[in-house]
Amino acid sequence: MPVKMVLEKGKVPVNIYTDEIESSALDQLTQISQLPFVHHHVAAMPDVHTGIGATVGSVIPTKSAIIPSAVGVDIGCGMNALRLSLTATQLPDNLKPIRLAIENSIPVGFNQHSRASVANSTLKQLDKGIDNILAKHPTISKMMKRIHDTWTCQLGTLGGGNHFIELCLDENQAVWVMLHSGSRGIGNNIGTYFIDLARKDMERLQVQLPHRDLAYFPEGTQYFDDYVEAVHWAQDYAMENRREMMRLILESLRKVFPYFEITKEAINCHHNYVSIEEHFGEKVYLTRKGAISAREGQLGIIPGSMGAKSYIVRGKGNADSFCSCSHGAGRRMSRTAAKKHFSREDLERQTAGVECRKDSGVLDEIPSAYKDIDVVMENQSDLVEVVHTLKQVVCVKG
């Protein structure tokens, strides 16, 4: 479907790929569009909804400036998926042992590994990068106890919130492993620190903003290069975190299924990040907050909720969306509202047939708290084509 709504209250228009959007998200998008350095227009994906700092599902091209809160604090959050040679007929009737095996391999929530599990070469590379950042910004070190031990032991861990690990079946009954996570505590600290630093910079320079959350670093100023260095390190960390989780998951599955092959990696992709790209004749800093890259032919992952379908997609390279698409179904209800509105019985009913936690601790992730993924997909038919349709049979939540 083409753009469904255009906001024209700012310095640039906002192209919106849905008509299901709350007024607070429209306000946030309008505020973003009023910034003088936004290039050409802003795009809002079909899963768009109100976020902290900036709108989730927004794609923001900026020239000579970056907005740290638009990237957010879960820097580099994203998805990874692999198709295995296993099929549905090879899965046991009782899937709980598989879920428990994954949970035993991957710490969830605030838990972490007792020691680093990744290769020393990877640790050394990441260690060098974070040391450079902390040397210039030692305050980040004080935001986390035993920061080196923590970030190394959190590599290969899930975290909480909407992060998950799933076993899914596609339309051919092939088994897929799919996971969603980001840069964990260290990414949160980096994001929080630089968001606060940008706000202080704006106050010092007496810059008038549409909203304080849209504080930015102009190119050439004191902290711009430091933020670029830090955000790219956190994105690399998030990518490595997903790789390590996938390795550990496959290791745990081999204890249950000794013989299987990895037949295809769909993609390991960010959906909260900034990159340097060229759009509408200009080189820009493109921030995707809750959106993935969908260049022509590029594979991507669009998950639904823990009771709905997910999709492996191929990008169509739509210029008006800055070659982007949605990162999921998108919330239609806040976590607090979902906990008040739904019961455990609702959760059990909506996740019937899925081996997962069904307790009050994951009630805020109930499928009805999310938009209808089928409608979201219909609204971005101009942006991507579906390659595989997945349905989860096992789901591990943080």
Side-chain angles (χ1 to χ4, degrees), residues 112 127 130-131 133-134 137-154 185-187 189-190 233 237:
Q112 61 188 50
D127 211 7
I130 194 63
D131 281 350
I133 295 163
L134 298 180
H137 298 277
T139 300
I140 298 172
S141 300
K142 301 173 184 176
M143 298 170 69
M144 177 182 284
K145 290 183 179 179
R146 300 174 61 190
I147 188 168
H148 181 272
D149 291 341
T150 299
W151 74 256
T152 55
C153 292
Q154 283 187 346
I186 186 66
N189 288 348
I190 288 171
W233 182 89
Y237 179 95

Side-chain angles (χ1 to χ4, degrees), residues 3-7 13-17 41-45 320-321:
V3 172
K4 287 202 166 188
M5 188 186 311
V6 180
L7 296 180
V14 181
N15 293 347
I16 305 174
Y17 286 85
H41 68 276
V42 174
M45 300 296 100
D320 287 337
S321 73

Side-chain angles (χ1 to χ4, degrees), residues 25-93:
L26 290 172
D27 290 341
Q28 282 189 329
L29 290 167
T30 298
Q31 289 164 356
I32 291 170
S33 71
Q34 291 170 347
L35 295 169
F37 49 83
V38 175
H39 171 62
H40 206 273
H41 68 276
V42 174
M45 300 296 100
D47 60 339
V48 63
H49 58 280
T50 304
I52 299 172
T55 323
V56 179
S58 59
V59 183
I60 310 165
T62 56
K63 291 178 63 177
S64 304
I66 296 180
I67 311 163
S69 65
V71 180
V73 296
D74 197 358
I75 302 169
C77 184
M79 302 287 303
N80 192 10
L82 293 173
R83 190 173 78 224
L84 308 181
S85 60
L86 297 171
T87 63
T89 58
Q90 294 172 277
L91 296 178
D93 292 335

